[in-house]
Amino acid sequence: MNMIVLAIILAITVEGVVEIGKSIGKAVLGASYKTAATQVVALVFSCLLCLAAGADVYGTLGVHFAVPQLGMVLTGVLASRGSNYLSDFIKRLQSVSGTATVK
């Protein structure tokens, strides 16, 4: 994989993870503890589910990490935000990497 494409994919990933962290942090600081707890539970459950299923969006796009489970955990982090968020995220990654549609 081209290093420029890899760097862009990783930058998009960092942006997504930071946005999730900001969302949880904002809920905690705003004393919306139910919202924060719901988001954390969704995050943990989603990561565990992706690990159990071997779901790895990054591997599908040709990005392989030194720690094999990291792609599955990151997929779980992104999936915890919901299907629309993950779908938009995958489209952004695909447009950068030039891969075919994931089904």
Side-chain angles (χ1 to χ4, degrees):
M1 171 173 288
N2 182 324
M3 278 299 178
I4 294 172
V5 172
L6 179 60
I8 292 170
I9 288 173
L10 295 177
I12 292 169
T13 298
V14 170
E15 177 190 8
V17 172
V18 167
E19 287 301 315
I20 292 166
K22 281 174 43 180
S23 174
I24 293 171
K26 185 177 179 180
V28 169
L29 293 176
S32 298
Y33 299 115
K34 274 181 144 177
T35 301
T38 300
Q39 290 177 347
V40 169
V41 168
L43 183 64
V44 170
F45 181 70
S46 182
C47 288
L48 291 174
L49 193 60
C50 285
L51 283 166
D56 184 358
V57 169
Y58 298 89
T60 301
L61 294 171
V63 177
H64 302 286
F65 296 99
V67 178
Q69 294 80 11
L70 184 57
M72 290 179 257
V73 170
L74 288 173
T75 300
V77 169
L78 300 172
S80 72
R81 298 291 289 177
S83 61
N84 287 338
Y85 184 85
L86 186 58
S87 175
D88 292 343
F89 187 83
I90 291 171
K91 287 176 187 173
R92 288 176 69 188
L93 291 178
Q94 286 175 333
S95 68
V96 170
S97 68
T99 60
T101 303
V102 177
K103 293 184 181 184

